[in-house]
Amino acid sequence: RILAHRLVQRDLLDIAILLFERVLLMRPEEPQSLRDLALALERRADTHADARPRVARRDYKRAMALLAKVVMTSWDRFAEIELIALVEFNHIVPKAERLGLHEHPLDDRLIRPLELDVRIAMTWDADMTDMDMHVVEPSGEEAYYSHNRTTIGGLVSRDFTRGYGPEVYLLRRAMSGRYQVKTKYFGSSAAKLAGAVTLQVDIFTNYGRPNEARRSLTFRLTERKQLFTVGEITL
């Protein structure tokens, strides 16, 4: 997973997808295996949408099928990951439809593409590990698992305490100013074996719009029970 994520960040998507396929074979019981592969396929489809639309349609179709499986499965250990996957499924729908792919594997009542000023997704590589995402908004209000709704409309997804994430922050209409993205690493037995936890953070602005922008960050964390600043956005 670590290597595949790094390859995605370097746009070496074909190799990354092969690795995510292998992860899916090794860990099919974890929804993250489906989601990671789906997002890599979506990213490759984005690169082919203009020059190779047939290839892009194939990747979009597979990505939607993988995310639909996450949405429609009950995940006891990772409850509510299906809500995150549903947003990501809807992120693909308009792009697939522009290429003529109008059939999809979810009920039409679940198709509601979202446009967001800010979306931040955090994942990590260690099983049985508790990482928390915190976002400090320009007003000074801090969004995190025990204060997951803010005055300006910020929302933090459910806290995953047993590994991998994702944890996501959403904001539909942002106020101007600086948004600080932080994480708190509580540690785990898995992290002791690995020596550190690799954290992946994807920061989107104008999510779901033609001018969408993404910044991907990777960190190796070893110190526990401290709040680390991993990035910021100024709007």
Side-chain angles (χ1 to χ4, degrees):
R1 279 196 178 111
I2 297 168
L3 176 57
H5 280 296
R6 291 293 288 158
L7 290 169
V8 167
Q9 290 177 12
R10 292 177 178 272
D11 290 322
L12 298 171
L13 298 170
D14 292 343
I15 305 173
I17 287 167
L18 288 175
L19 289 174
F20 281 134
E21 294 276 16
R22 183 174 179 182
V23 171
L24 179 57
L25 288 173
M26 295 168 64
R27 291 293 186 89
E29 75 281 2
E30 294 174 348
Q32 293 86 353
S33 302
L34 299 159
R35 177 180 177 268
D36 287 342
L37 177 56
L39 297 183
L41 287 165
E42 178 193 9
R43 191 155 172 176
R44 185 169 71 177
D46 291 345
T47 67
H48 291 317
D50 294 328
R52 303 175 68 190
R54 181 179 296 180
V55 174
R57 281 195 298 270
R58 181 193 64 201
D59 281 350
Y60 283 142
K61 185 175 182 178
R62 177 104 193 279
M64 288 193 292
L66 291 164
L67 290 172
K69 185 173 181 179
V70 178
V71 172
M72 300 307 295
T73 303
S74 178
W75 307 96
D76 293 338
R77 185 177 162 199
F78 301 104
E80 297 186 21
I81 193 172
E82 60 271 22
L83 300 178
I84 295 169
L86 182 59
V87 171
E88 291 165 340
F89 181 98
N90 276 283
H91 186 248
I92 298 174
V93 169
K95 296 185 288 188
E97 289 183 343
R98 283 195 291 270
L99 296 182
L101 186 60
H102 296 286
E103 295 183 2
H104 48 75
L106 289 181
D107 190 298
D108 286 343
R109 290 172 293 181
L110 296 176
I111 307 305
R112 293 289 186 277
L114 288 178
E115 293 186 1
L116 303 166
D117 283 356
V118 178
R119 184 177 188 266
I120 303 166
M122 184 180 80
T123 61
W124 54 98
D125 68 299
D127 197 5
M128 303 303 293
T129 301
D130 187 8
M131 306 285 292
D132 291 327
M133 182 168 66
H134 296 241
V135 178
V136 181
E137 297 173 340
S139 64
E141 190 172 5
E142 188 168 349
Y144 61 106
Y145 69 95
S146 64
H147 180 65
N148 68 335
R149 295 178 182 270
T150 67
T151 304
I152 65 171
L155 173 67
V156 173
S157 64
R158 182 177 177 135
D159 181 26
F160 289 126
T161 62
R162 299 172 62 191
Y164 303 129
E167 293 188 10
V168 176
Y169 170 84
L170 306 176
L171 182 58
R172 190 175 180 87
R173 293 287 179 263
M175 69 183 297
S176 299
R178 185 176 65 166
Y179 294 76
Q180 290 184 300
V181 185
K182 302 185 177 187
T183 186
K184 194 167 189 178
Y185 169 29
F186 284 95
S188 75
S189 57
K192 290 176 185 176
L193 293 174
V197 175
T198 299
L199 185 73
Q200 313 280 344
V201 181
D202 287 315
I203 300 174
F204 295 88
T205 53
N206 293 305
Y207 183 80
R209 299 179 183 134
N211 60 336
E212 177 182 291
R214 176 212 313 255
R215 182 157 54 112
S216 297
L217 308 170
T218 302
F219 297 88
R220 292 281 282 172
L221 301 180
T222 56
E223 299 178 40
R224 300 171 189 177
K225 299 184 185 287
Q226 293 186 20
L227 203 59
F228 299 87
T229 298
V230 297
E232 63 180 46
I233 315 167
T234 302
L235 299 175

